[in-house]
Amino acid sequence: MGKFLLVVIVFAAIVYAIFWLIERRRGGSSATPRRTPPRPTPRTLAPDDDEDFLRDLNRRRKKRDEGRTDDQ
């Protein structure tokens, strides 16, 4: 029984060491988690800085002007 327990402990230690080496090689550790850089917050644009907004305004204005007649 004592030899069996010793074999199990040695086997567990070897398996632990292998996984520990693999984890260290990947650059991570459970004690010190990797930190990802914070994502920049999206910058809110003023309407006159937003190209899509200005393009949409021009389309609306052209559509409105096409609907008008010269009589008005």
Side-chain angles (χ1 to χ4, degrees):
M1 178 72 174
K3 288 183 184 181
F4 178 73
L5 188 59
L6 183 61
V7 170
V8 170
I9 290 173
V10 170
F11 180 73
I14 291 171
V15 170
Y16 173 77
I18 290 171
F19 279 107
W20 181 78
L21 288 172
I22 291 171
E23 188 69 22
R24 294 234 345 153
R25 186 166 275 209
R26 281 191 351 194
S29 172
S30 60
T32 57
R34 280 186 261 166
R35 293 185 179 180
T36 57
R39 291 187 179 193
T41 55
R43 194 179 122 218
T44 53
L45 298 172
D48 59 343
D49 290 341
D50 189 0
E51 295 294 325
D52 292 330
F53 177 76
L54 294 175
R55 195 174 302 116
D56 187 48
L57 280 180
N58 285 335
R59 284 186 196 137
R60 288 181 187 180
R61 186 177 44 116
K62 286 180 185 178
K63 193 174 192 179
R64 186 189 66 211
D65 290 345
E66 288 173 358
R68 287 186 180 176
T69 60
D70 292 331
D71 297 343
Q72 292 177 347

